[in-house]
Amino acid sequence: MAVPEAMMENRRFLSAVFHRSRQPGDRTELALLAIALLIVAFVFALLFSITTGASDASILDVVRNMAGNETLSARDRIIIFDIRLPRAILGFLIGGSLAVSGAVMQGLFRNPLADPGLVGVSSGAGLGAVVMIVLGSTVAAPLYLALGIYALPLAAFGGGLATTLLLYRVATRNGQTSVATMLLAGIALGALAGALTGVLIYMANDQQLRDLTFWGMGSLAGATWIKISAAGPIILLSFIALPFTARGLNAITLGEAAAFHMGVPVQRLKNITIVTVAAATGASVAVSGGIGFVGIVVPHILRMVIGPDHRFLLPASALLGGSLLIFGDVLARTIVAPAELPIGIITAAVGGPFFLWILVRQRSRLAL
């Protein structure tokens, strides 16, 4: 009798799964389709980016060259593989990391307004990077020499981590995170980081001042394979680590107490997400400067389409954020050609109105 009973139990389980997948509101199939389309969009964005500009090489020529056929001139190969390709790859890594960080912070804080740029995390990461840029040849010279190409990303990571921990400490009381307190504390921490950054800029020499000015606007103009080798591993590790927090983030949307009773190690989840978001944001800010609003725009667009399930939201955010930043970079280097517009200006121009729309839409629910 044990075998038939086991078979019936399996049938009941499969039937439950089958019917559950067709419940009203279930967006699993839609989410999988969206991720597949986003993969295609990323491939198109990559090819579009490396074939748009002064070089007259076509997408077909580039694909043939990658396949081993020498269809490109030496000049075109340098432009595409040494300038445009690292720029597109870095744009994808940065856009993806900022979008995923925004989605994770919104899930962890349980509010739609959390974003590394809006709550001061990016400002803290920027402060860490500026410290290394300005003091790397004097006070911080031994540390700079010891860390090599990783000095700037690690310094930005330290600044972002310190800001994130302080923000969470201030905004959380008795296990509850206040949205209003978080936003106000983020503004205060961002202002403090900005003030300290201003002091360091005042101490900078002319060359450092020029570098910091363009770096602060956000740009992918200086993308190189060296920068990718410095920031890429940190960002890729965050891409690998954060999907493992998806189920915990789904549970924590019901509240920390409910998540704890469901078996989620809440404190460990907080530690992992805070450190990983700080690492991803710090590495991104270190190599690209201030690029805002990606982390708040992308997750909201995807939630409206595929729902709030972090199992699908996180990989979709990485794909959409990276693809949008690649397209934004193409626009930045062609809209005022032969000059180049900092990409941070474009993301702010698009993200600012979108954030205001979200704020107006959510103010009654958030009691703001």
Side-chain angles (χ1 to χ4, degrees), residues 217-281:
M217 296 181 185
S219 177
L220 301 177
T224 62
W225 291 113
I226 294 177
K227 284 189 176 182
I228 292 177
S229 65
I234 299 175
I235 295 175
L236 288 175
L237 284 175
S238 71
F239 284 165
I240 295 172
L242 286 175
F244 289 100
T245 67
R247 294 185 181 276
L249 291 172
N250 286 343
I252 211 170
T253 56
L254 303 174
E256 293 185 8
F260 178 78
H261 289 299
M262 292 171 64
V264 175
V266 176
Q267 192 57 47
R268 186 172 67 181
L269 177 67
K270 293 178 185 177
N271 295 338
I272 293 174
T273 53
I274 286 174
V275 171
T276 308
V277 165
T281 304

Side-chain angles (χ1 to χ4, degrees), residues 107-149:
L108 181 64
F109 286 108
R110 303 191 301 282
N111 74 86
L113 303 179
D115 169 72
L118 294 174
V119 297
V121 178
S122 294
S123 298
L127 175 60
V130 171
V131 167
M132 191 57 66
I133 291 173
V134 176
L135 303 180
S137 59
T138 55
V139 178
L143 184 62
Y144 190 88
L145 293 174
L147 297 177
I149 62 173

Side-chain angles (χ1 to χ4, degrees), residues 21 36 60 79 90 94 117 136 146-147 184 191 194 211 221 234 237 243 279 286 298 305 308 312 316 342 359:
S21 65
L60 187 59
I79 292 175
L90 191 64
I94 293 171
L147 297 177
L184 294 174
D211 293 341
I234 299 175
L237 284 175
V298 171
V305 177
F312 308 115
L359 189 61

Side-chain angles (χ1 to χ4, degrees), residues 340-352:
E340 182 174 320
L341 193 67
I343 194 172
I345 295 177
I346 295 177
T347 58
V350 175

Side-chain angles (χ1 to χ4, degrees), residues 166-190:
L166 186 56
L167 173 68
Y168 189 82
R169 179 69 175 175
V170 171
T172 304
R173 185 178 182 183
N174 297 326
Q176 299 295 322
T177 301
S178 169
V179 175
T181 302
M182 183 199 67
L183 292 175
L184 294 174
I187 293 172
L189 291 174

